[in-house]
Amino acid sequence: MCAERIAPPSPRAALEKACAALKVFPLHGVVVLPGTPTPFHIFEPRYRALVGDALRGDRILAVPGLTTMEAAQQLHPPLFPVAGACIIEQEDRYDDGRYDLVVRGVARVRLIQELANEKPYREFRAEILDDVWPDEGPEALEQDVASLRQLVLELSTRLPPESGAPALAEAVAQMRDASAIADLVAAAAVSEPHARQRVLETLEVERRLELVVEEVAGVVLMLSKGQGPEN
């Protein structure tokens, strides 16, 4: 008689449990948005320990940003309270203990309270932050989504295929979730760290779309000026 196979918990369910003591990997200028992949090379001993513990457990960690570059020199630097929580999707371990990882954003979280522990890395009690939709529902954002799709399509005509812009335009054209579209485009097209952090911290999907539209429109305008008038 075969034993019934139990499915592993979903990333969201794993994160809900992990929020009681969420492992954090602080980095300056790095923002991981929900639904998007990010590669990391892990070499510091304390973060090798973090990754090892995560891989033996739920594979969950969070990536909060440092409030300033100077904070990186502190033992317990101040962090932005809103962070991207991730699940480790791929890992390669080197013989010397370093790791190459690909993590995928699961949700936004707020770091509420740092926990005392005897580990080399930091842990926080955290809460998941959910999207805030207009009272009229997601349908009220269709025009904003259409505007962003058009901008991404225009961006794809001004950048070479190897930039990933055409693939982004194709992906966005197939997606229907306004929140996921805003996060995907921001991850691909918004490079300035403070702008990315604003996108991460904005729970209102309508306002998040507006922010991303502003950022991508600025990129398109810059490229248009750089290319000069068309003949």
Side-chain angles (χ1 to χ4, degrees):
M1 184 174 178
C2 296
E4 184 178 352
R5 178 175 297 177
I6 300 175
S10 69
R12 170 79 182 211
L15 174 59
E16 288 173 350
K17 186 175 180 181
C19 277
L22 186 60
K23 302 173 181 66
V24 302
F25 175 38
L27 288 170
H28 178 66
V30 176
V31 177
V32 178
L33 291 158
T36 66
T38 305
F40 290 118
H41 178 66
I42 310 297
F43 58 91
E44 287 190 55
R46 56 182 167 171
Y47 297 127
R48 293 186 208 174
L50 184 156
V51 170
D53 288 349
L55 291 174
R56 287 187 290 271
D58 54 23
R59 305 176 71 90
I60 296 288
L61 56 90
V63 183
L66 304 180
T67 56
T68 65
M69 183 62 180
E70 292 72 24
Q73 310 306 317
Q74 302 176 26
L75 184 60
H76 283 75
L79 310 174
F80 286 113
V82 176
C86 327
I87 188 165
I88 299 172
E89 285 196 330
Q90 300 175 33
E91 73 277 357
D92 288 306
R93 187 180 187 278
Y94 293 86
D95 291 340
D96 61 6
R98 292 176 297 129
Y99 291 92
D100 283 333
L101 303 180
V102 176
V103 306
R104 184 170 295 274
V106 175
R108 293 164 167 83
V109 295
R110 178 177 285 113
L111 306 179
I112 299 172
Q113 180 182 15
E114 185 161 6
L115 304 176
N117 66 26
E118 307 220 344
K119 301 170 184 176
Y121 55 85
R122 301 165 74 182
E123 293 178 308
F124 282 76
R125 181 168 63 86
E127 64 178 354
I128 298 175
L129 301 174
D130 290 320
D131 291 330
V132 177
W133 295 90
D135 292 340
E136 303 84 354
E139 297 78 14
L141 303 180
E142 289 180 359
Q143 186 57 51
D144 296 305
V145 171
S147 297
L148 185 54
R149 284 198 181 104
Q150 182 58 41
L151 279 168
V152 173
L153 181 61
E154 187 168 352
L155 187 66
S156 73
T157 67
R158 298 181 181 279
L159 291 172
E162 57 268 24
S163 70
L168 177 65
E170 184 176 350
V172 168
Q174 301 297 321
M175 296 168 65
R176 293 293 175 263
D177 185 298
S179 173
I181 290 171
D183 286 339
L184 178 63
V185 175
V190 179
S191 58
E192 201 279 318
H194 285 92
R196 289 172 67 91
Q197 183 68 28
R198 283 197 301 273
V199 171
L200 180 71
E201 293 177 357
T202 302
L203 304 185
E204 297 80 6
V205 180
E206 183 174 19
R207 178 57 184 149
R208 195 188 313 154
L209 278 168
E210 291 172 354
L211 288 173
V212 179
V213 164
E214 291 170 7
E215 291 290 332
V216 179
V219 175
V220 170
L221 179 61
M222 180 182 65
L223 290 172
S224 300
K225 290 181 177 179
Q227 290 177 353
E230 296 180 1
N231 296 323

